[in-house]
Amino acid sequence: MTEDPYLAHRSLLFTVAYEMLGSAVDAEDVLQESWLRWADVDRSQVRDARAYLVRIVTRQALNRLRTLSRSREEYVGEWLPEPLLTSPDVAEDVELAESVSIAMLTVLETLGPTERAVFVLREVFEMPYGEIAEVVGKSAATVRQIGRRAREHVAARRPRVRVSRSEQQAVVERFLLALRTGQLQELMAVMSPDVVLIADGGGIVAAVEAPIRGVELVAKLLARADRSVTAFEMATVWLNGAPAGRVEVDREPAAVSLVVDGGRVTRIYLVRNPQKLTRLDVQSELSR
Protein backbone atom coordinates (compact mmCIF):
# COMPACT_ATOMS: atom_id res chain seq x y z
CA MET A 1 0.00 0.00 0.00
CA THR A 2 1.42 3.39 -0.98
CA GLU A 3 1.63 6.11 1.62
CA ASP A 4 -1.17 8.67 1.60
CA PRO A 5 0.07 11.90 -0.11
CA TYR A 6 -1.04 13.92 2.91
CA LEU A 7 1.31 11.95 5.17
CA ALA A 8 4.09 12.00 2.58
CA HIS A 9 3.95 15.79 2.36
CA ARG A 10 3.03 16.57 5.96
CA SER A 11 6.27 18.39 6.84
CA LEU A 12 5.88 20.58 3.75
CA LEU A 13 2.25 21.32 4.59
CA PHE A 14 3.14 22.18 8.17
CA THR A 15 5.87 24.53 6.91
CA VAL A 16 3.42 26.30 4.59
CA ALA A 17 0.88 26.76 7.39
CA TYR A 18 3.52 27.85 9.91
CA GLU A 19 5.00 30.44 7.56
CA MET A 20 1.52 31.75 6.89
CA LEU A 21 0.59 31.98 10.58
CA GLY A 22 3.78 32.21 12.64
CA SER A 23 2.17 29.81 15.09
CA ALA A 24 2.70 26.06 15.35
CA VAL A 25 -0.51 25.64 17.34
CA ASP A 26 -2.56 27.31 14.64
CA ALA A 27 -0.62 25.50 11.91
CA GLU A 28 -1.52 22.14 13.46
CA ASP A 29 -5.19 23.17 13.59
CA VAL A 30 -5.03 24.12 9.91
CA LEU A 31 -3.50 20.76 9.04
CA GLN A 32 -6.27 18.96 10.90
CA GLU A 33 -8.93 20.93 9.02
CA SER A 34 -7.10 20.27 5.75
CA TRP A 35 -6.93 16.54 6.43
CA LEU A 36 -10.71 16.41 6.87
CA ARG A 37 -11.17 18.13 3.51
CA TRP A 38 -8.60 15.89 1.84
CA ALA A 39 -10.40 12.82 3.16
CA ASP A 40 -13.51 13.82 1.17
CA VAL A 41 -11.64 14.41 -2.11
CA ASP A 42 -12.04 12.04 -5.07
CA ARG A 43 -8.35 11.16 -5.52
CA SER A 44 -8.92 9.92 -9.08
CA GLN A 45 -9.56 13.55 -10.09
CA VAL A 46 -6.33 14.87 -8.54
CA ARG A 47 -3.41 15.09 -10.96
CA ASP A 48 -0.83 16.63 -8.59
CA ALA A 49 -1.50 15.71 -4.97
CA ARG A 50 1.29 17.92 -3.60
CA ALA A 51 -0.01 21.06 -5.32
CA TYR A 52 -3.61 20.18 -4.42
CA LEU A 53 -2.74 19.75 -0.74
CA VAL A 54 -0.76 22.99 -0.66
CA ARG A 55 -3.82 24.78 -2.04
CA ILE A 56 -6.07 23.28 0.64
CA VAL A 57 -3.66 24.20 3.43
CA THR A 58 -3.10 27.72 2.13
CA ARG A 59 -6.84 28.41 1.90
CA GLN A 60 -7.40 27.15 5.42
CA ALA A 61 -4.42 29.17 6.67
CA LEU A 62 -5.82 32.30 5.00
CA ASN A 63 -9.15 31.77 6.75
CA ARG A 64 -7.37 31.28 10.06
CA LEU A 65 -5.13 34.32 9.53
CA ARG A 66 -8.11 36.58 8.88
CA THR A 67 -9.77 35.28 12.03
CA LEU A 68 -6.62 35.90 14.06
CA SER A 69 -6.08 39.46 12.83
CA ARG A 70 -8.27 41.08 15.48
CA SER A 71 -6.83 39.09 18.40
CA ARG A 72 -3.31 40.02 17.32
CA GLU A 73 -4.27 43.68 17.15
CA GLU A 74 -5.43 43.40 20.78
CA TYR A 75 -2.33 41.45 21.88
CA VAL A 76 -0.59 42.83 24.97
CA GLY A 77 2.84 44.15 24.06
CA GLU A 78 4.87 42.97 21.08
CA TRP A 79 3.72 39.89 19.14
CA LEU A 80 6.49 37.49 18.10
CA PRO A 81 6.22 34.17 16.23
CA GLU A 82 6.17 30.87 18.09
CA PRO A 83 9.75 29.49 18.11
CA LEU A 84 10.33 25.93 16.92
CA LEU A 85 13.03 23.48 17.91
CA THR A 86 14.60 22.34 14.63
CA SER A 87 17.52 20.20 13.54
CA PRO A 88 20.76 21.73 12.18
CA ASP A 89 19.84 20.15 8.83
CA VAL A 90 17.26 22.88 8.21
CA ALA A 91 20.12 25.37 7.84
CA GLU A 92 21.47 23.37 4.88
CA ASP A 93 18.65 24.89 2.81
CA VAL A 94 19.63 28.54 3.22
CA GLU A 95 16.42 29.93 1.71
CA LEU A 96 14.22 27.72 3.87
CA ALA A 97 16.15 28.64 7.01
CA GLU A 98 15.83 32.34 6.22
CA SER A 99 12.11 32.04 5.47
CA VAL A 100 11.33 30.40 8.84
CA SER A 101 13.63 32.61 10.91
CA ILE A 102 12.03 34.62 13.69
CA ALA A 103 13.27 37.79 11.97
CA MET A 104 11.54 36.93 8.68
CA LEU A 105 8.31 35.72 10.29
CA THR A 106 8.16 38.97 12.26
CA VAL A 107 8.40 40.92 9.00
CA LEU A 108 5.76 38.71 7.35
CA GLU A 109 3.42 39.65 10.18
CA THR A 110 3.34 43.19 8.75
CA LEU A 111 1.82 41.94 5.47
CA GLY A 112 -1.88 41.55 4.85
CA PRO A 113 -3.21 37.96 4.66
CA THR A 114 -3.34 37.81 0.84
CA GLU A 115 0.07 39.48 0.46
CA ARG A 116 1.54 37.01 2.90
CA ALA A 117 0.08 34.03 1.07
CA VAL A 118 1.37 35.26 -2.30
CA PHE A 119 4.83 36.01 -0.91
CA VAL A 120 5.19 32.65 0.86
CA LEU A 121 3.88 30.55 -2.03
CA ARG A 122 5.95 32.37 -4.66
CA GLU A 123 9.19 33.29 -2.92
CA VAL A 124 9.57 30.30 -0.63
CA PHE A 125 7.77 27.46 -2.41
CA GLU A 126 8.17 28.75 -6.00
CA MET A 127 4.55 28.09 -6.94
CA PRO A 128 3.52 29.41 -10.40
CA TYR A 129 1.47 32.60 -10.41
CA GLY A 130 -1.43 30.80 -12.08
CA GLU A 131 -1.71 28.31 -9.23
CA ILE A 132 -1.39 31.05 -6.60
CA ALA A 133 -4.22 32.90 -8.36
CA GLU A 134 -6.47 29.86 -7.88
CA VAL A 135 -5.61 29.74 -4.18
CA VAL A 136 -6.26 33.41 -3.37
CA GLY A 137 -9.10 33.97 -5.82
CA LYS A 138 -7.37 36.68 -7.87
CA SER A 139 -6.22 36.91 -11.47
CA ALA A 140 -2.64 35.95 -12.31
CA ALA A 141 -1.89 39.57 -13.27
CA THR A 142 -3.18 40.81 -9.92
CA VAL A 143 -1.17 38.16 -8.08
CA ARG A 144 2.01 39.35 -9.86
CA GLN A 145 1.33 42.91 -8.67
CA ILE A 146 0.63 41.72 -5.11
CA GLY A 147 3.83 39.67 -5.19
CA ARG A 148 5.91 42.64 -6.34
CA ARG A 149 4.52 44.87 -3.57
CA ALA A 150 5.07 42.15 -0.98
CA ARG A 151 8.70 41.64 -2.08
CA GLU A 152 9.38 45.36 -1.85
CA HIS A 153 7.74 45.54 1.57
CA VAL A 154 9.74 42.61 2.91
CA ALA A 155 13.02 43.79 1.36
CA ALA A 156 12.65 47.17 3.06
CA ARG A 157 12.14 45.63 6.51
CA ARG A 158 14.02 42.36 6.85
CA PRO A 159 17.59 42.17 8.12
CA ARG A 160 19.54 41.30 4.95
CA VAL A 161 22.41 39.58 6.71
CA ARG A 162 23.93 36.21 5.94
CA VAL A 163 26.49 34.72 8.27
CA SER A 164 27.89 31.22 8.48
CA ARG A 165 26.48 28.78 10.99
CA SER A 166 29.82 28.75 12.82
CA GLU A 167 29.84 32.56 13.15
CA GLN A 168 26.20 32.63 14.27
CA GLN A 169 26.85 29.92 16.85
CA ALA A 170 30.00 31.60 18.16
CA VAL A 171 28.21 34.92 18.67
CA VAL A 172 25.18 33.23 20.25
CA GLU A 173 27.42 31.36 22.72
CA ARG A 174 29.36 34.52 23.54
CA PHE A 175 26.10 36.41 24.09
CA LEU A 176 24.65 33.69 26.33
CA LEU A 177 27.84 33.52 28.39
CA ALA A 178 27.76 37.29 28.92
CA LEU A 179 24.07 37.04 29.81
CA ARG A 180 24.72 34.21 32.27
CA THR A 181 27.49 36.09 34.07
CA GLY A 182 25.73 39.44 33.93
CA GLN A 183 28.89 41.23 32.81
CA LEU A 184 27.74 44.60 31.53
CA GLN A 185 30.87 45.40 29.53
CA GLU A 186 30.93 41.99 27.84
CA LEU A 187 27.25 42.30 26.96
CA MET A 188 27.92 45.69 25.41
CA ALA A 189 30.92 44.31 23.50
CA VAL A 190 28.91 41.52 21.86
CA MET A 191 26.06 43.82 20.74
CA SER A 192 26.04 46.48 18.04
CA PRO A 193 25.58 50.13 19.12
CA ASP A 194 22.06 50.23 17.61
CA VAL A 195 20.91 46.81 18.84
CA VAL A 196 17.15 46.34 19.30
CA LEU A 197 15.49 44.08 21.89
CA ILE A 198 11.92 42.89 21.25
CA ALA A 199 10.21 40.81 23.92
CA ASP A 200 6.92 38.90 23.93
CA GLY A 201 5.28 38.08 27.25
CA GLY A 202 1.72 38.15 25.95
CA GLY A 203 0.56 39.88 29.10
CA ILE A 204 1.07 36.56 30.92
CA VAL A 205 4.65 37.00 32.16
CA ALA A 206 6.76 40.11 32.64
CA ALA A 207 8.31 41.51 29.47
CA VAL A 208 9.00 44.95 28.06
CA GLU A 209 5.99 45.98 26.01
CA ALA A 210 7.84 48.08 23.43
CA PRO A 211 11.17 47.59 21.62
CA ILE A 212 14.28 48.71 23.54
CA ARG A 213 16.91 50.38 21.34
CA GLY A 214 20.58 51.12 21.90
CA VAL A 215 23.37 49.01 23.37
CA GLU A 216 23.51 50.76 26.77
CA LEU A 217 19.80 50.44 27.49
CA VAL A 218 19.62 46.83 26.29
CA ALA A 219 22.76 45.76 28.17
CA LYS A 220 21.61 47.37 31.42
CA LEU A 221 18.19 45.72 31.12
CA LEU A 222 19.70 42.26 30.51
CA ALA A 223 22.33 42.62 33.25
CA ARG A 224 19.67 43.79 35.72
CA ALA A 225 17.49 40.78 34.84
CA ASP A 226 20.36 38.46 35.75
CA ARG A 227 20.66 39.99 39.20
CA SER A 228 16.93 39.93 39.94
CA VAL A 229 16.37 36.16 39.71
CA THR A 230 17.42 33.23 41.85
CA ALA A 231 17.81 30.60 39.10
CA PHE A 232 19.15 31.39 35.63
CA GLU A 233 19.98 28.55 33.23
CA MET A 234 20.62 28.59 29.49
CA ALA A 235 21.79 26.44 26.61
CA THR A 236 22.45 26.82 22.90
CA VAL A 237 19.77 25.12 20.80
CA TRP A 238 18.61 25.22 17.18
CA LEU A 239 15.48 27.30 16.77
CA ASN A 240 13.89 28.03 13.39
CA GLY A 241 16.92 26.80 11.49
CA ALA A 242 19.60 28.76 13.37
CA PRO A 243 21.63 28.60 16.60
CA ALA A 244 19.72 30.34 19.38
CA GLY A 245 19.27 30.23 23.14
CA ARG A 246 16.93 28.43 25.48
CA VAL A 247 16.78 30.20 28.83
CA GLU A 248 15.11 29.29 32.11
CA VAL A 249 14.44 32.20 34.45
CA ASP A 250 13.34 30.98 37.87
CA ARG A 251 12.22 27.74 36.16
CA GLU A 252 10.19 29.62 33.56
CA PRO A 253 11.36 28.95 29.98
CA ALA A 254 12.21 31.56 27.38
CA ALA A 255 13.59 31.47 23.86
CA VAL A 256 16.18 33.92 22.52
CA SER A 257 16.76 34.32 18.78
CA LEU A 258 19.46 36.67 17.52
CA VAL A 259 20.28 38.48 14.30
CA VAL A 260 24.05 38.69 13.86
CA ASP A 261 26.02 41.04 11.61
CA GLY A 262 29.75 41.69 11.63
CA GLY A 263 30.31 39.49 14.66
CA ARG A 264 27.81 41.39 16.81
CA VAL A 265 24.18 41.03 17.78
CA THR A 266 21.97 43.55 15.99
CA ARG A 267 18.55 42.30 17.05
CA ILE A 268 17.27 40.20 19.96
CA TYR A 269 13.91 38.41 19.91
CA LEU A 270 12.93 37.21 23.38
CA VAL A 271 9.83 35.02 23.69
CA ARG A 272 8.56 34.51 27.25
CA ASN A 273 4.86 33.87 26.60
CA PRO A 274 4.48 30.29 27.91
CA GLN A 275 1.73 29.57 25.36
CA LYS A 276 4.35 29.95 22.63
CA LEU A 277 7.01 27.75 24.22
CA THR A 278 5.38 24.33 23.99
CA ARG A 279 7.53 23.21 21.02
CA LEU A 280 10.94 23.61 22.67
CA ASP A 281 11.18 19.92 23.59
CA VAL A 282 9.82 18.36 20.39
CA GLN A 283 11.75 18.81 17.15
CA SER A 284 9.65 20.15 14.28
CA GLU A 285 10.14 18.79 10.77
CA LEU A 286 10.28 21.55 8.18
CA SER A 287 10.69 21.19 4.42
CA ARG A 288 9.81 22.75 1.09
Side-chain angles (χ1 to χ4, degrees), residues 28-43:
E28 292 289 0
D29 287 345
V30 161
L31 259 61
Q32 181 62 30
E33 293 164 1
S34 300
W35 163 251
L36 295 175
R37 281 160 176 74
W38 173 246
D40 290 334
V41 169
D42 180 357
R43 313 292 171 83

Side-chain angles (χ1 to χ4, degrees), residues 2 17 25 30 39 61 81 96 103 128 175 184-185 222 245 251 260 277:
T2 58
V25 173
V30 161
L96 174 62
F175 174 84
L184 184 62
Q185 291 305 314
L222 294 175
R251 300 181 184 274
V260 174
L277 298 171

Side-chain angles (χ1 to χ4, degrees), residues 95 119-129 132 288:
E95 292 184 358
F119 182 88
V120 168
L121 293 179
R122 180 62 184 175
E123 301 302 314
V124 181
F125 298 97
E126 301 176 341
M127 182 179 286
Y129 285 114
I132 299 174
R288 68 186 183 111

Side-chain angles (χ1 to χ4, degrees), residues 35-105:
W35 163 251
L36 295 175
R37 281 160 176 74
W38 173 246
D40 290 334
V41 169
D42 180 357
R43 313 292 171 83
S44 66
Q45 302 300 311
V46 177
R47 289 179 296 176
D48 185 340
R50 179 184 183 276
Y52 193 96
L53 284 163
V54 168
R55 287 198 295 271
I56 293 176
V57 167
T58 303
R59 286 170 181 155
Q60 295 306 311
L62 267 172
N63 292 338
R64 177 61 61 96
L65 192 57
R66 288 164 179 148
T67 301
L68 292 172
S69 295
R70 172 164 302 212
S71 63
R72 291 188 181 178
E73 289 174 1
E74 298 171 351
Y75 195 79
V76 178
E78 295 292 314
W79 187 97
L80 288 176
E82 181 180 351
L84 303 181
L85 182 67
T86 56
S87 75
D89 294 342
V90 173
E92 297 294 337
D93 185 336
V94 176
E95 292 184 358
L96 174 62
E98 182 180 4
S99 72
V100 298
S101 69
I102 296 295
M104 175 59 86
L105 293 172

